[in-house]
């Protein structure tokens, strides 16, 4: 061991020594290193104080000046740069380039159709509108920046030798900044000093990531003694750290002190901009990154831009429109050419050009082509893009305002982070879900444990949870009901009612429920945990044992060295100690408890123990150690001798339980059992008593909190924690304070954490480790001194493994608890290596990991815990609904197979009657053969995937293991897998890495060409969320990374149902209809002009006044479709939710297909023909002039186009009416006033009095009415037939909506039952023995499980190295 | 799971580096307002187009359109119209000779007379039109080739016509009044109508040449430039006539109220026709008294001063005599169209009635989910 440590320390030293020459020129006095440039890969920060300012070299000063200040500017433009920059951005867009092209060709007199100015109008409108929008947004950002920049920060000024108030924007790198409690940190600061004696500073990162739990930050270790006041003027080191980067989880560097000492520091010493200091009076440090270089700002990305499926489809149709335009222009060009050819000589109505030269027909035709582009430009629906953007803004507004998607607990609405893919929500075919935190609450409840191979199933706790569930399901009132839990166990007897709230926080808090003054503002900075997590009803059997054991101080002290002795105590101590839970009081939620709270209790219990021990007389060293430690850990404890009388008897009675009586260690076992509250009632009473100790546990992970609460339920209460000490109250009320020698933090690679403590009684160094079974089991001591010992160990390990398996099958999360006792000497040896590792700047992470694993060997297994990760509310119902909606739900989880499968069963992803195939093997051949057999078998039930056809076959489930999945991907068998999965109703991938998750999503998305949605809550889901068409983040417990990467962020999985089924459906059907309508509208209108070309010699004349032509699209017919796109509601939310099948219409893109597009175009052609030829025939061979001829066409066209929309609108609200009537009125007002005022303006149309003249003519009305009726007749009739014959489910559902609620209810039920009946019928067919190729027993044992354990599983005693089994997964 | 990791939270693409000091920002709940509008529960009318609900509409349309159509048809039929082509394409045609030696600048007028007879007397006022076919007055560059300011009497525009008039803007350094291709191609045939009395005498029928243009055109849109005196020729001093014209614009008529730009023949011509086959009002034959019809049945002679060349574009010239009704000239289309559409609607109504009878009950009540 010593040898290896030497070797290790060698490796540590090496990089440092080699690095010395490269990276440490700063260690020398500055004046010496003028020639040596600073390494570019690192950032050097020279403190901004007198010493440094005077000593700094000019080059270094330049370097410092080059670091940006703390002023932030998130605006895109400045006042000056706005116009050029914005214009550039605008013309970067294709649509605007099209406009520019039109303007340009209109500039040639040969092709000029409109006035040059008029052609610029659409361009101008679009540009100005977007500019205004951009400017407004930018101004908002500017205002916000200003507020932030002008905040006050207390910055050290070396001239005044004191901290002065400065604005945030004036803070510079190298400044010393002091932040006080509850202040926001202005820049990324290296923590050098805090008011805390332990050099700890607490942060709340809610502003950064929404997590409200406290995070500890540590003063740069070894820099300053905690208690001496920090003097910036004496700080003479230089900070060397990484260049600014956006990784929040990594930060390293060192302090180069003048005395050539290097002090390493890491992430735990960095205070990030935007966090809030809590629970610490003040903290000071040096700014290392400022302004835009802070990690918070670097992580700030703009909204993402995705293109939705509908938009992609639309773009192809726009291309079709371009094609149509091309053809039309070609017709125009050829027409002009041939038309000119028909005349024997030049007619008087074909004037020569301005140079009196007649243009030859071919050239004229060529010009005509471009003229026609200008004339028919509207055919390319540029307005569509603008309108769609507006519509989506409206849709997003309504989604975010949905009160059903609002979560009271976190006060969060649904967030739409990607603004332009709302309609994709209505087309989802595959949902990929994470398990933990998404399907489950990530709220851990202690369920079972196994200690030394004995299982304690905690029946009482299970009952309590069941009762709680019941209570929760009863709870309908959204206001926080103060309600007693109808629990048989009466776990909160005599106290005021328990508020059954589920607070979305990892923090657990006890003891405030009874207090009326606690405000329950959802966003208050104190979050509560539900009794679900905090209360644990102890197992009776275990309670008795621990009671016994704890009572026997003596025994414990004596036997603690012996392996296996006092293991129960060790188990609970490990639960209570081995974590990073922060304790604070209920009254002062952010005041960390550093010492025991109840001093009277402390004294009393101390006194008790002292007396006890004195009476024993043999353990005097324990007394001293206890005494000294308690004094040390709680400096405020009065030095006065313990006086039992000082404490109030009433409170102590409850607190102390039976300590007074059981105090005597001589008391017999029976006595102590009798004295200790033996019933679970009393025990729970004590452990959850709100007034006994207003303790509040704040854990970084919910598992930890659950374990601490579990320990507490057995009387092992974690009272206080400091970086150096942890105080535990034993069941008897006595206090034990352990000195923490080191904490080996958890990370996902190690999958375990350890705490090294010095035992106060035995003075031994004890390591408590907890972690995943795989991480612990392989680190257990392999050999023991003697054979029986060895056998016992193996037996325990085997038993525990069996329990682990059992827990996993129950869907519990398992953690193994182990301990190790080592000598002080061994520990100090290790510590030396560790410290080396800590100060290393290169490979620090790896080195730390290596040292950690060095310590965590030869562990002794104590036990294991099973923690339930409870399903989120309504998860099974949501999954069932999604299924009915035709959505395939896949679950991708990193959890192990058993846990995942069980969660899948409990959330009804898998059904008991499903045939489940499990693929878990390390051999490729077996994969292959497995795929072959299963495909074979699956295909026997029909070629059609069961979820597609109406009749359903047996449902198949597929469980894939991550390792196998990787194998399949490597071998290129993805497509076969995909083929198999298409036959399966649900697919479950377990033990998959984040990368595999995204690979699976991409595979399905790209190969099946389906719309996918990923939903997850953790950082491990980010890649999957980004890979899918729509990423949904759950703003839950695991930080905000998933939310940051997502397109939509919701707070519960159940919200997915309404988001998809209602909003998705609405958005899709709205947008699809609107897009189709826009295409139709443009074609219908523009074709009028096109038809006219046949009667004006293809000369490009428009018979409608140009202004009216432009206003037609811009004003008269623009608003109604937008309102339609935002507000139209084909089916009510209730019906959509109760009939998820309706969602399928969106999946099949029924709203917008190419056929729909072409039908709309045909209709548009028909309507334009009617709109042109009815007036044409009516005015044929009359004395009508061009613009009088155009007026009825324009008017009839307006009516047709608006009434066409009216036919399509399915819900008429006030808004619709106002907009529709308003549009018509606007048209008449503008047209009338325009033609009344314009006497000789706007040549050549010169519309003076034309409109008035027409409106005085009855024929005008006759023509308009006839045209409109005739144009709309086919569509109207078609819609009527559709409505009457009610062939599509959507129409039937619409009809349901008009019925009264009761009738509707019964119809929906009927519909439902029919669906089920058809399902059942198909099942019947399949389960009948005559079914095609039915296996021996259709309902039993069709599961085929292939399980070959890889090397990583070899430590499992029950799974031999190589095995292939076909086992039953299903009954 | 225990690794605490975090990143920035942002909303609306904006950094929320530090909202408010000390976390005192949570005063207001973000709960959306539970209003009908925001929750999309506005009271709404949800029409469902089924046979049952739209049946009345179809029948009403049918029942309204058919009578209207009949009325229109009858009205149109009551309009008397006579049309005669005097282009002179055929050798037999009296105007054949004139049509052959056409030219814009032929000084010697060519006259021809065309005889025709009316079978029915024309009661009420008779409108005399000239009709042109294959004449694309709606050609884009032709339509543009005018200056409305000039025609509106703007002196500046008179002297400096708009560029749109090119190449008929200036001639010999003088601005053309009225400029542009439209004016340049003014229809300049003169039509006279004689009634051939059965007793052999030819009576010239009085043709009224005012009142043929829109009132607004004559009084608002077209104005002569205001000069020193009332003499139009002085006002138009310094301008020249359009290339194809034989006389100046102030020589169009002797009546000062119908001369210059406000000459109604010019105004009518300047209102460019929408379609290549068009007619323009030429004269009005006013009804003399209740006793006699305006144009009694009998033989007539149309005396044409043939100036306007149409051979270059294979056009046709016609003279049309027509009475008018409230719906304008004779056009049976509207009447027929109304009757047809009305019948179609009625027919559809019947079909829907059958459908409604067969399927409608299904969608209205019980068996919705079948």
């Amino acid at each position: 061991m010593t040898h290896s440590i030497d070797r290790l320390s060698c490796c540590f030293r090496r990089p440092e020594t080699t690095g010395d020459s490269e990276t440490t020129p700063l260690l020398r006095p500055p004046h010496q290193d003028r020639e040596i440039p600073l390494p570019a890969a690192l950032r050097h920060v020279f403190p901004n104080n007198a010493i440094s300012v005077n000593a700094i070299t000019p080059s270094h000063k330049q370097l410092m000046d080059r670091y940006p200040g703390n002023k932030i500017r998130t605006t895109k433009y400045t006042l000056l740069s706005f116009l050029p920059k914005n214009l550039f951005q605008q013309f970067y867009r294709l649509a605007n380039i099209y406009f520019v092209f039109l303007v340009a060709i209109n500039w040639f007199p040969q092709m000029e159709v409109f006035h040059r100015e008029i052609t610029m109008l659409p361009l101008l409108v679009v540009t100005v509108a977007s500019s205004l929008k951009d400017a407004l947004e930018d101004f908002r950002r500017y205002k916000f920046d200003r507020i932030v920049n002008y905040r006050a920060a207390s910055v050290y000024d070396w001239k005044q030798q004191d901290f002065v108030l400065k604005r945030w924007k004036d803070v510079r790198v190298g400044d010393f900044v002091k932040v006080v409690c509850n202040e926001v940190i202005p820049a990324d600061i290296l923590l050098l000093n805090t008011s805390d004696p332990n050099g700890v500073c607490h942060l709340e990162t809610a502003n950064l990531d929404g997590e409200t739990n406290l995070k500890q930050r540590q003063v740069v270790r070894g820099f300053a003694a905690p208690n001496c006041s920090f003097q910036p003027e004496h700080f003479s080191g230089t900070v060397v750290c990484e260049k600014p980067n956006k990784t929040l989880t990594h930060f390293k560097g060192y302090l180069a002190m003048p005395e050539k000492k290097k002090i390493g520091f890491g992430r735990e010493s960095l205070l990030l901009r935007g966090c809030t200091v809590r629970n610490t009076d003040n903290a000071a440090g040096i700014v290392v990154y400022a302004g835009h270089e802070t990690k918070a700002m670097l992580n700030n990305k703009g909204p993402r831009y995705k293109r939705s499926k509908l938009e992609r489809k639309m773009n192809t149709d726009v291309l079709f429109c371009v094609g149509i335009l091309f053809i039309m222009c070609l017709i125009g060009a050829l027409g002009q050419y041939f038309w000119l050819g028909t005349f024997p000589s030049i007619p008087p109505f074909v004037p020569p050009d301005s140079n009196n030269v007649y243009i030859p027909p071919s050239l004229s035709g060529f010009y005509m082509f471009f003229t026609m582009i200008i004339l028919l430009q509207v055919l390319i629906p540029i307005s569509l893009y603008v309108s769609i953007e507006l519509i989506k803004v409206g849709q997003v507004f309504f989604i975010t305002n949905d009160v059903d998607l609002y979560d009271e607990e976190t006060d969060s609405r649904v967030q739409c982070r990607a603004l332009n893919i709302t309609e994709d929500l209505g087309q989802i075919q595959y949902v990929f879900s994470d398990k933990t935190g998404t399907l489950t609450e990530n709220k851990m409840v202690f369920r079972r444990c196994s200690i030394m191979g004995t299982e304690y199933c905690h029946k009482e706790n299970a009952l309590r949870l069941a009762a709680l569930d019941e209570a929760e399901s009863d709870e309908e009132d959204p206001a926080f009901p103060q309600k007693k839990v109808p629990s048989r166990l009466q776990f909160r007897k005599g106290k005021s009612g328990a508020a059954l709230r589920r607070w979305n926080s990892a923090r657990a808090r006890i003891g405030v429920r009874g207090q009326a003054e606690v405000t329950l503002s959802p966003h208050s900075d104190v979050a509560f945990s539900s009794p679900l997590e905090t209360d644990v009803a102890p197992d009776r059997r275990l309670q008795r044992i621990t009671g016994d054991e704890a009572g026997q101080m003596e025994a414990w002290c004596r036997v603690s060295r012996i392996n296996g002795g006092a293991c129960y105590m060790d188990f609970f101590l490990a639960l209570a100690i081995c974590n990073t839970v922060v304790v604070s009081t209920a009254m002062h939620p952010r005041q960390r408890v550093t010492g025991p709270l109840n001093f009277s209790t402390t004294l009393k219990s101390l006194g008790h123990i002292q007396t006890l021990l004195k009476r024993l007389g043999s353990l005097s060293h324990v007394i001293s150690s206890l005494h000294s430690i308690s004094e040390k850990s709680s400096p405020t404890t009065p030095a006065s001798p313990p006086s039992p009388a000082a404490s109030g008897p009433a409170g102590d009675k409850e607190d102390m339980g039976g300590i007074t009586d059981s105090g005597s260690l001589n008391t017999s076992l029976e006595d102590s059992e009798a004295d200790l509250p033996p019933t679970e009632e009393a025990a729970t009473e004590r452990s959850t008593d709100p007034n006994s100790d207003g303790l509040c546990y704040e854990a970084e992970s919910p598992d930890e909190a659950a374990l601490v609460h579990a320990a507490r339920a057995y009387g092992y209460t974690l009272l206080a924690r400091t970086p150096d000490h942890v105080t535990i109250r034993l069941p008897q009320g006595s206090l034990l304070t352990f000195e923490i020698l080191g904490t080996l933090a958890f990370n996902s690679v190690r999958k375990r954490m350890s705490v090294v403590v010095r035992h106060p009684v035995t003075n031994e160094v004890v390591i408590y480790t907890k972690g995943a079974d795989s991480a612990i089991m392989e680190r257990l001591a392999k050999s023991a001194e003697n054979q029986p010992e060895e056998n016992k160990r193996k037996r325990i390990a085997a038993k525990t493994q069996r329990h682990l398996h059992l827990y996993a099958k129950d869907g519990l999360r398992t953690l193994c608890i182990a301990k190790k006792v080592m000598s002080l000497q061994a520990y100090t040896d290790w510590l030396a290596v560790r410290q080396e590792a800590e100060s290393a700047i290169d490979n620090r992470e790896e080195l730390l990991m290596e040292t950690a694993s060095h310590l965590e060997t030869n562990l002794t297994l104590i036990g294991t815990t099973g923690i339930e990760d409870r399903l989120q509310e309504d998860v099974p119902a949501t999954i069932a609904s999604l299924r009915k909606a035709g959505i395939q739900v896949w679950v991708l989880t990193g959890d192990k197979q058993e846990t995942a499968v069980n969660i899948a069963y409990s959330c009804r992803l898998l059904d008991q009657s499903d045939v489940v195939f499990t693929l878990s093997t390390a051999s490729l051949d077996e994969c292959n053969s497995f795929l072959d057999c299963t495909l074979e078998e699956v295909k026997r039930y029909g070629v059609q995937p069961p979820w597609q056809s109406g009749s359903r076959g047996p449902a198949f489930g597929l469980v894939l293991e991550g390792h196998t999945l990787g194998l399949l991907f490597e071998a290129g068998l993805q497509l076969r897998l995909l083929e198999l999965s298409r036959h399966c109703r649900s697919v479950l991938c377990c033990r998959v890495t984040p990368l595999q998750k995204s690979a699976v999503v991409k595979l399905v998305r790209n190969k099946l060409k389906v719309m996918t949605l990923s939903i997850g809550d953790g950082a491990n889901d980010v890649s999957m969320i980004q890979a899918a068409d729509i990423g949904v983040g759950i703003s839950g417990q695991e930080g905000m990374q998933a939310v940051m990467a997502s397109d939509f962020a919701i707070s519960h999985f159940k919200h997915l149902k309404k988001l998809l089924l209602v909003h998705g459906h609405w958005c899709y059907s709205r947008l699809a209809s609107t897009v189709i309508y826009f295409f139709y509208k443009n074609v219908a209108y523009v074709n009028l002009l096109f038809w006219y070309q046949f009667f004006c010699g293809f000369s490009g004349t428009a018979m409608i006044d140009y202004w009216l032509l432009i206003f037609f699209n811009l004003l008269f017919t623009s608003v109604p479709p937008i309102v339609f796109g935002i507000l139209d509601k084909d089916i009510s939310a209730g019906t959509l939710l109760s009939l998820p099948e309706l969602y399928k219409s969106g999946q099949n893109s029924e709203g917008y297909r190419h056929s729909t597009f072409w039908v709309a175009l045909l209709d548009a052609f028909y309507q334009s023909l009617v709109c042109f030829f009815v007036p044409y025939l009516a005015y044929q061979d009359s004395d009508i002039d061009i613009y009088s001829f155009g007026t009825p066409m324009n008017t009839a066209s307006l009516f047709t186009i608006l009434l066409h929309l009216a036919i399509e609108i399915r819900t008429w609200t006030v808004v619709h009416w106002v907009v529709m009537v308003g549009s018509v009125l606007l048209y008449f007002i503008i047209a009338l006033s325009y033609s009344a005022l314009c006497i000789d303006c706007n040549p050549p149309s010169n519309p003076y009095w034309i409109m008035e003249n027409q409106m005085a003519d009855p024929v005008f009305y006759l023509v308009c009415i006839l045209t409109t009726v005739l144009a709309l007749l086919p569509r109207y009739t078609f819609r009527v037939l559709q409505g009457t014959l009610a062939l599509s489910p959507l129409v039937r559902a619409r009809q349901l909506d008009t019925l009264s609620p009761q009738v509707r209810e019964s119809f929906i039920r009927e519909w439902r039952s029919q669906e089920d009946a058809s399902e059942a019928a198909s099942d019947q067919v399949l389960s009948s023995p005559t079914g095609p190729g039915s296996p021996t027993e259709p309902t039993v044992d069709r599961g085929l499980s292939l399980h070959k354990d890889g090397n990583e599983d070899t430590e499992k005693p029950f799974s031999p190295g190589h095995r292939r089994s076909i086992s039953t997964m299903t009954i | 799971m225990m690794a605490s990791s975090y990143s920035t939270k942002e909303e609306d693409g904006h950094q929320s580096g530090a909202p408010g000091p000390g976390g005192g920002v949570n005063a207001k709940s973000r709960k959306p307002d539970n209003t009908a509008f925001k929750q999309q529960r506005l009271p709404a009318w949800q029409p469902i187009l089924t046979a049952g609900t739209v049946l009345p509409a179809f029948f009403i349309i049918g029942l309204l359109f058919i009578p209207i159509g009949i009325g229109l048809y009858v009205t149109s039929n009551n309009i008397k119209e006579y049309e005669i082509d005097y282009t002179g394409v055929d050798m037999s045609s009296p105007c054949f000779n004139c049509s052959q030696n056409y030219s814009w600048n032929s000084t010697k007028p060519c006259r021809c007379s065309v005889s025709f007879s009316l079978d029915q007397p024309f009661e009420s006022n008779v409108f005399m039109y000239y009709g042109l076919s294959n004449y694309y007055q709606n050609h884009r560059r032709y339509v543009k080739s005018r200056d409305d300011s000039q025609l509106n009497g703007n002196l500046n525009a008179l002297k400096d016509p708009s560029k749109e008039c090119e190449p008929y803007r200036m001639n010999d350094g003088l601005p053309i009044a009225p400029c542009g291709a439209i004016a340049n191609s003014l229809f300049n045939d003169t039509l006279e109508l004689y009634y051939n009395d059965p007793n052999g005498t030819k009576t010239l029928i009085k043709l009224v040449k005012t009142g043929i243009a829109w009132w607004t055109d004559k009084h608002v849109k077209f104005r002569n430039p205001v000069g020193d005196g009332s003499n139009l020729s002085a006002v138009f001093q310094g301008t020249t006539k359009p290339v194809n014209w034989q006389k100046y614009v102030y020589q169009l008529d002797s009546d000062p109220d119908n001369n210059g730009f406000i000459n109604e023949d010019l105004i009518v011509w300047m209102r460019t026709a929408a379609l290549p086959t068009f007619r323009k009002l030429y004269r009005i034959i006013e009804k003399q008294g209740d006793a006699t019809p305006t144009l009694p049945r009998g033989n007539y002679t149309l005396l044409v001063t043939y100036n306007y060349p149409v051979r270059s574009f294979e056009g046709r010239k016609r003279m049309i005599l027509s009475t008018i009704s409230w719906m304008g000239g004779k056009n049976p289309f509207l009447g027929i169209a109304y009757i047809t559409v009305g019948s179609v609607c009625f027919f559809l109504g019947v079909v829907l009635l059958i459908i409604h009878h067969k399927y409608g009950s299904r969608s209205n009540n019980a068996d919705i989910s079948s």
Side-chain angles (χ1 to χ4, degrees), chain A residues 741-847:
Chain A
L741 301 172
T743 306
L744 305 176
F746 178 89
N747 74 31
S748 51
V749 183
R750 279 160 31 85
K751 289 188 185 158
R752 60 182 180 270
M753 77 163 288
S754 301
V755 168
V756 188
V757 293
R758 191 200 302 273
H759 202 289
V761 183
T762 61
N763 222 9
E764 285 168 327
V765 175
V766 183
I767 302 161
Y768 289 112
T769 306
K770 74 164 190 251
D773 49 354
S774 60
I776 299 289
M777 285 304 193
E778 63 188 10
R779 312 202 145 260
L780 294 182
K782 288 285 182 290
S783 59
E785 296 87 38
N786 49 24
Q787 198 52 40
E789 205 50 48
E790 173 80 21
N791 287 344
K792 192 183 169 198
R793 263 188 198 191
K794 277 192 175 157
R795 208 181 60 237
I796 290 173
K799 271 186 174 173
T800 311
Q801 187 69 61
R802 202 154 46 238
H803 295 147
L804 278 172
H805 197 61
L806 193 76
Y807 292 172
K809 273 193 119 176
D810 272 359
L812 301 181
R813 294 159 76 95
T814 54
L815 278 176
C816 286
I817 312 289
K819 93 173 228 191
K820 174 185 174 181
V821 180
M822 68 194 288
S823 69
L824 196 62
Q825 186 52 45
Y827 176 72
T828 36
D829 287 351
W830 176 84
L831 195 63
V833 181
R834 177 74 175 181
Q835 273 160 355
E836 293 266 17
E838 272 172 359
S839 57
I841 190 153
D842 297 314
N843 304 325
R844 193 159 148 252
E845 304 292 322
E846 295 90 81
L847 289 174

Side-chain angles (χ1 to χ4, degrees), chain A residues 72 74 110 112 141 144 151 182 184 207-209 211 217 248 267 272 274 296-297 299-301 339 343-345 347-349 351-354 371 398 401-403 406 408 411 413 417 523 700-701 703-704 746 770 813 1041 1044 1070 1092 1095-1097 1099-1101 1129 1174 1176-1178 1181-1186 1188-1189 1210-1213 1217 1240 1244 1246 1248-1249 1253 1258-1259 1262 1265-1266 1276 1279-1281 1283-1285 1292 1294-1295 1298 1307 1310 1314, chain B residues 1-10 12-20 22-23 26 28-32 37-40 42-51 54 58 65 68 72 83 104 129 134-136 138-144 148-149 152 166-168 181 185 214 216 220-221 271-279 311-314 318 326-327 331 333-334 337-338 341 344-345 348 352 355 359 362-363 365-366 368-370:
Chain A
I72 56 157
T74 55
Q110 293 86 356
E112 180 182 351
R141 285 197 207 105
F144 191 84
R151 271 196 207 138
N182 294 337
V184 182
N207 289 338
L208 272 179
D209 58 9
E211 291 179 39
R217 289 293 179 267
L248 289 157
R267 185 171 75 95
L272 293 175
M297 294 299 291
N299 269 284
N300 212 342
K301 282 174 294 181
W339 177 76
F343 300 112
S345 64
F349 46 80
D353 70 2
S354 52
T371 308
F398 279 117
N401 269 298
D402 190 337
V403 84
Y406 168 78
E408 302 260 5
D411 188 37
R413 301 176 178 191
R417 297 171 46 81
H523 207 267
E700 284 190 9
S701 93
D703 304 63
E704 290 197 332
F746 178 89
K770 74 164 190 251
R813 294 159 76 95
Q1041 276 189 344
M1044 299 295 298
R1070 284 167 181 174
Y1092 189 58
F1095 302 93
C1096 71
S1099 61
T1101 316
K1129 199 159 77 173
V1174 168
Y1176 169 78
L1177 291 169
D1181 192 25
S1182 71
D1183 58 347
I1184 193 147
D1185 64 292
I1186 298 179
S1188 298
F1189 179 63
R1210 285 157 291 208
T1211 310
W1212 287 82
T1213 64
W1217 286 109
D1240 62 347
N1246 224 325
Y1248 184 66
W1249 222 250
N1253 230 345
V1259 177
L1262 288 172
I1265 291 170
L1266 180 71
Y1276 193 65
R1279 289 278 177 230
V1280 168
L1281 288 179
T1284 312
L1285 304 176
R1292 282 196 290 165
R1294 282 186 65 201
Q1295 286 167 349
T1298 55
F1307 274 131
E1310 197 181 319
Q1314 287 196 351
Chain B
M1 62 184 166
M2 287 180 217
S4 73
S5 55
Y6 44 80
S7 62
T8 47
K9 169 183 173 181
E10 54 159 11
D12 304 337
H14 196 286
Q15 77 105 23
S16 60
N26 41 35
K28 206 173 150 233
S29 164
R30 305 188 37 181
K31 184 170 183 171
F37 176 67
K38 283 193 175 174
Q39 301 308 318
Q40 307 191 53
L42 281 179
W45 175 55
Q46 293 176 286
I48 291 182
L49 300 174
T50 61
V54 301
F58 275 93
F65 272 28
I68 291 176
L72 284 170
E83 191 178 306
W104 282 102
Y129 299 88
N134 207 23
Y135 195 109
Y136 288 82
N138 54 14
H139 189 279
R140 176 170 53 93
R141 282 183 292 125
Y142 180 84
V143 168
K144 278 200 299 194
D148 282 300
S149 309
N152 196 30
E166 291 284 9
Y168 305 107
S185 59
W214 291 15
T216 49
V220 183
K221 205 166 151 185
R271 186 160 282 282
T272 49
L275 297 166
T277 300
F278 61 90
R279 59 176 73 172
R311 290 266 314 247
S312 68
F313 52 95
E314 290 177 337
R318 293 165 297 156
W326 57 268
M327 54 167 284
N331 189 350
F333 168 76
L334 266 187
Y338 263 91
V341 173
V344 167
C345 283
L348 280 176
L352 287 178
I355 289 174
Y359 303 96
R362 189 182 75 175
S363 56
N365 41 59
I368 192 139
S369 48
S370 62

